[in-house]
Amino acid sequence: MEFTYEYFKTSADYILDKIDFKPEVAIILGSALGSLGEEIENPVIIDYEDIPNFLVTTVKSHAGKLILGELQGKKVVCMSGRFHYYEGYDFEKLVIPIRVFHLLGVKTVILTNAAGAINTSYKPGEIMIIKDHIKFMGASPLRGPNIEEFGPRFFDVSKTYTKEYRELAKKAAEKLGMTIHEGVYFFWMGPQFESPAEIRALRILGGDAVGMSTVTESITAAHCGMKVLGLSLITNMAAGVLEQPITAEEVGEIGKKSSKQFKELLSEILKEM
Ligand code: HPA
């Protein structure tokens, strides 16, 4: 399908009609991190399925709601539940949320996810600040006719993950006494986890953590000039690092256990943003 500027504007206008403020920060909550949405003050909650031209989430652990309100004094729009390629959406469709947020007036996007540790010095429950990404799989979300209102045809992604925010995240973690890493997120299409041989290959290629989301969103954000902070919650050691198989339950379990710490970190970061 071919998108137009008006396509995205239809979604944004629907949302703007329901709120009397302009969100500054968008937060996309990954698996098991959805509960942060509950802390938003004076929330306006919109089901994805009610937003024209939006997408609907098909993943059980993702709520499928947009929550708009205030968090740590910042006007935020929060996605509780995101969209992934493995659900059956084309890469081109995965631009929708970020472009809609851009049209709401959002300048900063915080992308969170659950990820497996390729880097064997990381441990489940720890957080990695995304410094850079590798997306060798599949098409670009920006494939197809370029919409000049969002950004240029060819664009730089070398500064996608805003340095100032990475430094801020490090300081926040230090203040909270949390271990934090900074590394490279490797995008994996999924839905199968990787094989041990694939993980060995991704390690050689320079990945520190692997996951099935985030990069389509950060590329879209880079295209329209938004600032990005990416945070990966390490939920498991990647395939082959340990003997046991990786399960969605394990990923969910660590996600839940660590969500309090993760929320504290996010709050601290938002406060200082
Ligand atoms: N691989 C890919 N995606 C993931 C993983 C993993 O090991 N853990 C959480 N999301």
Side-chain angles (χ1 to χ4, degrees):
M1 88 160 283
E2 225 171 84
F3 288 128
T4 59
Y5 183 75
E6 285 67 37
Y7 180 97
F8 302 101
K9 198 161 174 303
T10 303
S11 310
D13 286 348
Y14 176 88
I15 297 163
L16 285 171
D17 207 39
K18 301 223 173 300
I19 52 176
D20 56 6
F21 61 91
K22 287 225 160 171
E24 318 152 66
V25 182
I27 308 169
I28 300 190
L29 299 172
S31 317
L33 301 167
S35 60
L36 181 82
E38 293 161 14
E39 298 184 8
I40 294 176
E41 293 159 45
N42 307 316
V44 173
I45 302 174
I46 308 175
D47 283 339
Y48 293 164
E49 52 193 28
D50 291 336
I51 307 171
N53 295 350
F54 215 65
L55 301 172
V56 291
T57 179
T58 68
V59 190
K60 261 199 251 147
S61 58
H62 289 242
K65 287 179 196 316
L66 214 56
I67 309 166
L68 299 109
E70 212 167 297
L71 202 56
Q72 296 296 336
K74 297 283 183 312
K75 304 269 191 287
V76 299
V77 51
C78 183
M79 263 184 103
S80 183
R82 63 141 62 84
F83 310 113
H84 312 78
Y85 178 77
Y86 65 72
E87 293 175 76
Y89 294 119
D90 295 335
F91 281 114
E92 289 90 328
K93 278 208 170 150
L94 297 176
V95 301
I96 293 175
I98 298 295
R99 286 191 165 173
V100 170
F101 297 156
H102 175 70
L103 294 177
L104 296 181
V106 168
K107 301 278 184 284
T108 296
V109 199
I110 303 177
L111 304 171
T112 73
N113 60 53
I118 300 172
N119 187 323
T120 53
S121 74
Y122 295 1
K123 291 193 194 70
E126 293 176 347
I127 291 166
M128 182 189 87
I129 302 165
I130 304 178
K131 185 176 188 181
D132 201 349
H133 69 236
I134 299 176
K135 185 183 179 298
F136 283 169
M137 307 181 91
S140 166
L142 277 301
R143 179 172 176 264
N146 186 52
I147 303 176
E148 291 292 322
E149 285 96 332
F150 288 111
R153 167 80 295 180
F154 302 105
F155 60 102
D156 183 72
V157 294
S158 69
K159 297 203 166 17
T160 301
Y161 303 93
T162 311
K163 182 149 198 286
E164 170 199 348
Y165 291 155
R166 287 189 275 124
E167 294 308 318
L168 203 151
K170 278 181 223 167
K171 277 213 191 92
E174 199 178 311
K175 187 170 164 193
L176 297 168
M178 287 168 64
T179 305
I180 200 144
H181 306 283
E182 193 176 32
V184 173
Y185 179 91
F186 202 108
F187 172 76
W188 186 256
M189 290 198 285
Q192 80 285 4
F193 293 117
E194 306 71 29
S195 73
E198 284 162 345
I199 289 299
R200 286 194 298 276
L202 303 196
R203 187 176 297 123
I204 292 167
L205 290 172
D208 292 298
V210 58
M212 304 175 194
S213 66
T214 303
V215 174
T216 48
E217 297 148 356
S218 58
I219 292 172
T220 309
H223 182 242
C224 60
M226 292 159 100
K227 290 185 174 177
V228 177
L229 173 66
L231 297 171
S232 294
L233 171 65
I234 302 301
T235 52
N236 57 283
M237 298 313 287
V241 175
L242 307 172
E243 267 305 310
Q244 75 246 32
I246 301 163
T247 64
E249 287 71 30
E250 172 192 12
V251 170
E253 193 64 30
I254 295 288
K256 271 200 206 95
K257 262 197 214 147
S258 315
S259 71
K260 187 165 166 277
Q261 248 203 339
F262 202 93
K263 281 194 268 189
E264 280 169 6
L265 179 70
L266 263 181
S267 296
E268 186 62 32
I269 292 169
L270 269 175
K271 217 190 293 174
E272 300 299 329
M273 258 183 174

